[in-house]
Structures are given as C-alpha cells and as structure tokens.
Amino acid sequence: MRNSALLYTFNFEHLATFAHMRLERLSIINYKNIQATNLTLSPKMNCFIGHNGAGKTNLLDVIYYLSFCRSAFNSKDSEVIRHESDFFMLEGDYAADDDTHEQIYCGMKRGTKKHFKRNKKEYKRLSEHIGLIPLTFVSPADISVIEGGSDERRKLMDVVIAQYDRTYLDSLTLYNKVLQQRNSLLKQEDEPDLTLMELLEMQMAEHGEKVFTKRDAFVKELIPMFEEIYATISSSNERVSLGYSSHCQRGPLLEVIQRDRMKDRIMGYSLHGIHKDDLQMELGGFPIKREGSQGQSKSFVLALKLAQFKYLQRTAQDNTPLLLLDDIFDKLDASRVEQIVRLVSTDNFGQIFITDTNREHLDKILENSNFDYKLFAVEGGEVTERGQTDVQT
C-alpha cells in the first residue's frame, strides 16, 4: 500500500489555488460567559489556550454563529445572552484574497428578534447568508454523529450541502412542512380527507427526491476523501466504511410512502421518507458505535469533518472554509495526534481556529510550521493575546 500521508498531501496540492476568506477582527459583547472582547486575528492560525469552562469553545461558537446565523450548541438565541445581561452583539470583519471585505453583524435584545446584517444591510431571510462564509467545525459534541440518533447524521449532511446549494434548504424546509401536515392528518380520529392526503404525499415525494438526489451525490463524493483521511490518521492500520441509506433507494418515493399509508395511520406518523435517511458507519465491517474505542470513534468523526472541509473547499464558490478545531486531541494516542498535527500544519488549509487545554499539542503544530499565528489565553471569559510572531522551521 502507498504511503497514506503522501497520498493525502498529493491530493490536496491543487487546493492551495482556491480563494480564502479570512476573519480579521472579531467583536463580542455578552455572549455566554464572554462579557466583552475585541480580537485582531491571524490570517492563518489562531490558538486559544485555557482550562475547561474558560470560554474557549464559546469563542469558536461565535465564529460559527456568524456563518450560520445560530449557535452550534443552543437552539434558542436567548440562551446565548450572558447571564444578567439584556442583549448580545457579535461583529466580524472578513477579507478575501481579492481584497473585498465583508462586515457581518448580529445583535439581539431579550424578548425581541435578532438582527443579522451584511455590510450594514439587514437580511430579509437568514437562509440568504448561509454559504457566504463556509465553515467546518470539529467539536467533542460531534461524537453524537456516532452515538446519537439518525437525526444527528442527517444534520451532518444538511450543514454541508446547505453551504454550497442555496436550493437545498428550500427543498428540505418544504418537505418538513408537508411532512408535519401529513402527520397531523394521520393523527386525526376521523378518516382523513383522501384528496388532501394524496396531495401532501405528492409534495412530500417531490421535495424529498430533490433532497435525496443531493444527499446521495454528496455522500458518494465524500466517501473516498473520508477513507483516505482516516487511513492517514490511523497510519492505515484500520479499515473504515461509510454508506448512505434512504427509502428513495426502494423506488419512486411516492409509491414507497403510499404503500404503507394504513400502517402510518395506525402509528399516527409517517414511517417512510427522507426524514428517515441515515448514514452507515463501520469499522472493520462492523458498526463503529458497537466496535470502536474512544480514540477510533473520535478519529472517525475527525476524518469525516476534514473530508467535509475538503469537499466544501471544492464546492462552496471555490472558497476555502474556515476550520474550527475544538479540543480535538483528547482521547487520542500519540501516533494519531502526530498525524493530525502534520495534516493541519500544511499550507493546504486556510484560516484555522484551534483550542486546547494542553499547550504541548499546539506547540508541536507551531514549531513544525512556518506560518503566521496568534496565541490567546482564555480565562473566565476573558481573552488575552500572548503575542504574534512568525515561526521559521
């Protein structure tokens, strides 16, 4: 077998030609445990060091929020407002290779709706913003992709596809709306109106097949990237596989939905459709949820996320995503840490934000690189810059 690390480097060489969007300045007021901070950031590597609970992950969540109009962890916007504060405010100044600039602002007072603006102009629909600043976030919470339900794995696909395909979210939203309406009919005590039921099923099938087609194409292209990256992280010592299952693979979705309408009526909800799609994740031919150690499961998810990064770099308007790495080294042996350090130390990535409680891991990355970086200490929600320098190998 060829050296996986060399193969990975070779396949990434052409990516350096893609455009880069960089976050130059970040302003935060009253976001979770961060009262107020203004950061000037490195165009390459930004490292945040601090104990657990210090606020490192909250900083990354702010950057995620400015890309996705929401927190990666909190479903309600009011939950991110700092305790005993009445509002929160985020502002990011971005610059691209062609010297164009973007100012992204979000602010919200308790009890009111949030305001999200691009260059001081408020969005009419937040979905218009998704994809402008592509981003891949790797977090310990990602283990839910393996240990959680199928909704976690569908969300993993949705977050990537929505960043490069503006129509995807529309199809998914319309599907979920019709699904909800059909489920309401199914729950009725009286026999539902057949004409309305058939109309809803036709709409479910129409929107669902659009979603399926895009998910299927995404997974097929992602698989070889994922397998290659995992081979690098594991030094080719383990075999993993990734597969996609959907009721759309059984035939026309309308037929699949209508076939079990009576069973759906008994259950009171729709048993078939793209809301049941799933990813099969295996290690050595067996489900990784059952067979994988903590280190193997973490390596699996990390490889999946880095494959998403590589995929987005090729699809999201040829714009290199920001890469957020939150506490990625925990539960990994020294060999896997070394391989990951090699990967993220190359010039093939754009701007990186990385957190760790252990300064040693980050020192390994920095001492083996020749790029610009900044180091920040985080304690009790306060962020202090520890200096900026160029490290020469």
Side-chain angles (χ1 to χ4, degrees):
M1 182 180 288
R2 287 176 291 175
N3 185 289
S4 296
L6 290 177
L7 181 62
Y8 182 92
T9 303
F10 173 79
N11 282 352
F12 260 102
E13 280 179 354
H14 71 287
L15 297 182
T17 63
F18 285 146
H20 293 78
M21 178 76 83
R22 300 174 301 278
L23 178 56
E24 294 186 323
R25 283 174 293 279
L26 183 64
S27 298
I28 308 168
I29 298 176
N30 296 332
Y31 193 88
K32 299 187 178 179
N33 76 330
I34 303 169
Q35 183 173 5
T37 192
N38 290 283
L39 304 178
T40 301
L41 300 159
S42 163
K44 178 56 184 175
M45 178 80 76
N46 296 277
C47 306
F48 300 97
I49 304 289
H51 298 299
N52 290 328
K56 305 185 302 299
T57 301
N58 295 341
L59 286 165
L60 299 191
D61 194 36
V62 165
I63 300 169
Y64 182 94
Y65 203 116
L66 289 172
S67 281
F68 289 96
C69 309
R70 61 179 177 84
S71 165
F73 305 104
N74 300 83
S75 57
K76 295 180 181 177
D77 290 309
S78 59
E79 293 174 350
V80 307
I81 300 176
R82 186 170 173 267
H83 295 314
E84 300 177 2
S85 297
D86 296 325
F87 73 98
F88 81 89
M89 189 279 292
L90 311 175
E91 193 169 87
D93 293 331
Y94 298 81
D97 289 342
D98 61 3
D99 212 30
T100 57
H101 291 263
E102 300 282 356
Q103 185 186 72
I104 307 301
Y105 164 92
C106 182
M108 177 181 156
K109 292 181 181 178
R110 283 194 193 276
T112 66
K113 73 167 192 172
K114 65 185 169 191
H115 296 276
F116 212 95
K117 300 178 183 180
R118 175 185 178 186
N119 299 325
K120 299 183 180 179
K121 184 178 179 181
E122 186 150 7
Y123 281 102
K124 292 180 180 177
R125 297 174 63 214
L126 294 180
S127 59
E128 294 171 8
H129 179 69
I130 309 302
L132 177 69
I133 306 161
L135 178 150
T136 297
F137 189 5
V138 186
S139 149
D142 293 330
I143 199 66
S144 63
V145 170
I146 291 175
E147 297 178 351
S150 59
D151 58 318
E152 295 288 342
R153 293 179 283 279
R154 287 191 296 277
K155 186 167 74 172
L156 179 144
M157 293 187 280
D158 297 339
V159 164
V160 180
I161 301 171
Q163 291 186 74
Y164 66 85
D165 188 327
R166 290 291 174 92
T167 65
Y168 180 79
L169 269 183
D170 291 336
S171 297
L172 186 60
T173 302
L174 288 168
Y175 176 88
N176 287 331
K177 185 178 179 181
V178 178
L179 172 66
Q180 211 169 25
Q181 291 173 324
R182 184 176 188 264
N183 284 347
S184 295
L185 276 187
L186 292 169
K187 286 183 173 71
Q188 289 180 1
E189 289 187 18
D190 298 331
E191 195 61 30
D193 182 275
L194 184 60
T195 304
L196 178 56
M197 179 69 77
E198 289 178 343
L199 177 63
L200 293 175
E201 290 167 348
M202 287 171 64
Q203 292 177 340
M204 265 182 76
E206 179 189 351
H207 301 308
E209 287 182 341
K210 289 178 182 177
V211 171
F212 163 74
T213 299
K214 291 170 183 180
R215 284 178 178 172
D216 188 50
F218 163 66
V219 175
K220 282 176 179 171
E221 196 168 340
L222 189 76
I223 287 170
M225 302 178 192
F226 159 71
E227 291 177 345
E228 189 175 294
I229 295 170
Y230 190 93
T232 300
I233 294 173
S234 68
S235 301
S236 299
N237 289 328
E238 297 153 5
R239 180 174 58 85
V240 290
S241 64
L242 183 67
Y244 171 46
S245 65
S246 173
H247 292 144
C248 288
Q249 293 159 340
R250 300 181 183 179
L253 185 55
L254 181 59
E255 293 179 14
V256 175
I257 293 170
Q258 291 182 337
R259 196 179 299 151
D260 280 325
R261 188 191 290 156
M262 291 307 297
K263 194 181 290 183
D264 291 356
R265 184 87 172 94
I266 294 168
M267 298 299 294
Y269 58 88
S270 303
L271 291 166
H272 295 89
I274 54 114
H275 60 288
K276 297 291 186 179
D277 285 4
D278 206 351
L279 292 172
Q280 275 72 52
M281 302 175 168
E282 294 187 345
L283 173 71
F286 298 97
I288 190 165
K289 183 176 182 178
R290 194 179 71 213
E291 297 292 321
S293 66
Q294 282 186 314
Q296 287 169 328
S297 294
K298 188 156 189 174
S299 299
F300 193 102
V301 173
L302 181 59
L304 204 51
K305 286 302 191 84
L306 291 180
Q308 288 181 12
F309 174 93
K310 183 176 177 181
Y311 184 90
L312 269 177
Q313 193 166 32
R314 292 164 49 177
T315 54
Q317 303 171 4
D318 288 343
N319 195 0
T320 300
L322 304 179
L323 181 61
L324 279 51
L325 303 173
D326 186 24
D327 195 23
I328 62 169
F329 299 111
D330 186 44
K331 306 289 191 303
L332 297 178
D333 59 42
S335 171
R336 290 172 196 259
V337 169
E338 184 180 351
Q339 294 297 339
I340 293 165
V341 166
R342 283 183 186 175
L343 292 181
V344 300
S345 298
T346 66
D347 293 329
N348 301 312
F349 292 91
Q351 191 178 29
I352 299 174
F353 300 85
I354 186 167
T355 73
D356 207 292
T357 55
N358 186 341
R359 173 73 184 266
E360 185 181 331
H361 292 144
L362 297 182
D363 282 343
K364 281 184 182 178
I365 294 175
L366 300 174
E367 71 188 17
N368 291 320
S369 60
N370 61 353
F371 49 67
D372 180 84
Y373 75 92
K374 281 195 173 188
L375 190 64
F376 300 89
V378 185
E379 186 174 354
E382 295 189 3
V383 189
T384 308
E385 186 177 338
R386 291 301 191 210
Q388 180 180 16
T389 185
D390 289 323
V391 180
Q392 300 297 326
T393 54

